[in-house]
Amino acid sequence: MLPLLLLMLLAHSRWVATANVTNCISNVKNIFILSGQSNMSGRGGVFNQTSLTGMVNLTWDGVVPPECQPNPSIVRLSAQLTWVEAQEPLHKDIDVNKTCGVGPGMSFANTLKSKDPNIGVIGLVPCAIGGTNITQWARGGWLYNEMIRRTKAALQGGGTIRGMLWYQGESDAIELEDAQLYKSRLMKFFKYVRKDLQLPTLPVIQVALATAPGPYMEVIRKAQFGIKLPNVRTVDAKGLPIGPDLLHLTTPAHVQLGQMLADSFLQTQKSLDVHAGEPGPPA
């Protein structure tokens, strides 16, 4: 009798969890775009593993810190354009040619939930692809079009696009010409995203580089901090823990970065709320 009772309780708990997620999926209110390259996609906990045959493969260690644990009211848009419960790795079916691990997205969403309990259901739209140059994100290209397509698909069930998290630029630090043109290319990118989503004041939180595979990282960082568009904020990843490849952030670093992104977004919202409350010009 006791085993049967335990099975019934287990089945009930799974049904309740499924029902909670299903209810949240139908009530997504706050949509965030996650875009850029590998450090947005997430490489936390990804390491080299040598097999018995001598082959070296990248493997995720499967460690999910408390700050990145699933929450029934945090969902993600899958590659099939359906809302599913968000779990690490968020980009596992998006950045499919690379081994994905922990990124900043879950820490960001969980921090928002803890600091703003009334925010409601959060929907994450993963779009980041590792190793990509800013020119590959140019308007009309496959990456750009796919990001816009996924974002518009996320709106089909209702909700509002609240912001875009952007972490990219490492690949542009390899060649001097790319680094020198980065600022103008990035500004065009942000402007086109806002235009094509019809959101002229869309909050954008970008991450200033912590690492780069080329010699021009400081040129990229200067460009990133030099972006002066309204509602574009920059958080600095420099100084966060770096993995043994000297390029990708560690899992603890992604936890911290997600919290930094959430704090920056909340500051943006406070600023928007203040301006919204200001009286307009006299008639």
Side-chain angles (χ1 to χ4, degrees):
M1 183 65 183
L2 185 58
L4 177 61
L5 179 60
L6 290 174
L7 285 173
M8 292 174 63
L9 289 173
L10 181 59
H12 176 71
S13 64
R14 287 178 176 172
W15 179 86
V16 170
T18 302
N20 287 340
V21 172
T22 302
N23 182 57
C24 287
I25 288 172
S26 64
N27 290 283
V28 177
K29 299 298 183 186
N30 305 277
I31 298 170
F32 293 91
I33 307 164
L34 312 181
S35 202
Q37 53 183 112
S38 55
N39 272 316
M40 177 58 75
S41 172
R43 300 293 186 266
V46 175
F47 63 97
N48 288 328
Q49 183 178 58
T50 304
S51 68
L52 295 176
T53 61
M55 293 289 291
V56 178
N57 298 307
L58 288 174
T59 305
W60 178 46
D61 61 15
V63 176
V64 179
E67 298 88 347
C68 300
Q69 290 292 327
N71 183 315
S73 59
I74 301 174
V75 296
R76 75 175 185 93
L77 194 72
S78 72
Q80 290 73 39
L81 305 181
T82 58
W83 289 115
V84 297
E85 184 178 24
Q87 296 184 11
E88 297 286 9
L90 286 177
H91 281 77
K92 58 188 173 184
D93 60 348
I94 302 299
D95 195 6
V96 294
N97 292 320
K98 305 291 176 63
T99 301
C100 296
V102 172
M106 285 301 295
S107 173
F108 166 80
N110 277 314
T111 301
L112 284 187
K113 295 291 295 181
S114 65
K115 294 195 173 185
D116 184 3
N118 297 319
I119 194 171
V121 179
I122 293 174
L124 303 175
V125 183
C127 300
I129 301 293
T132 50
N133 185 289
I134 189 65
T135 58
Q136 294 175 270
W137 290 94
R139 189 191 199 194
W142 185 85
L143 289 176
Y144 182 91
N145 290 346
E146 187 68 6
M147 179 183 68
I148 297 298
R149 182 181 76 94
R150 286 178 52 73
T151 303
K152 289 182 176 180
L155 291 168
Q156 295 304 305
T160 302
I161 303 171
R162 300 292 303 279
M164 178 172 76
L165 309 184
W166 175 255
Y167 192 165
Q168 191 276 335
E170 293 94 340
S171 293
D172 295 271
I174 299 173
E175 301 291 339
L176 178 59
E177 182 179 5
D178 285 336
Q180 291 174 332
L181 292 173
Y182 189 76
K183 182 178 179 180
S184 62
R185 289 169 173 172
L186 185 62
M187 288 185 66
K188 286 181 181 178
F189 171 77
F190 289 155
K191 289 178 179 179
Y192 279 135
V193 169
R194 287 173 163 175
K195 180 178 180 180
D196 290 337
L197 294 177
Q198 299 180 10
L199 296 169
T201 60
L202 175 71
V204 176
I205 316 297
Q206 67 164 336
V207 182
L209 298 188
T211 62
Y216 302 111
M217 183 178 78
E218 291 305 323
V219 179
I220 300 295
R221 284 174 52 82
K222 183 178 179 180
Q224 292 171 323
F225 283 109
I227 300 293
K228 301 302 180 183
L229 296 174
N231 296 335
V232 174
R233 287 177 176 260
T234 305
V235 301
D236 197 353
K238 197 171 187 179
L240 294 178
I242 304 300
D245 64 359
L246 303 181
L247 184 60
H248 295 110
L249 301 184
T250 64
T251 294
H254 277 300
V255 170
Q256 187 175 345
L257 179 60
Q259 294 167 344
M260 293 163 60
L261 287 165
D263 288 341
S264 183
F265 171 74
L266 291 173
Q267 291 169 8
T268 301
Q269 291 306 111
K270 287 181 180 178
S271 176
L272 289 173
D273 290 342
V274 168
H275 289 306
E278 291 178 351

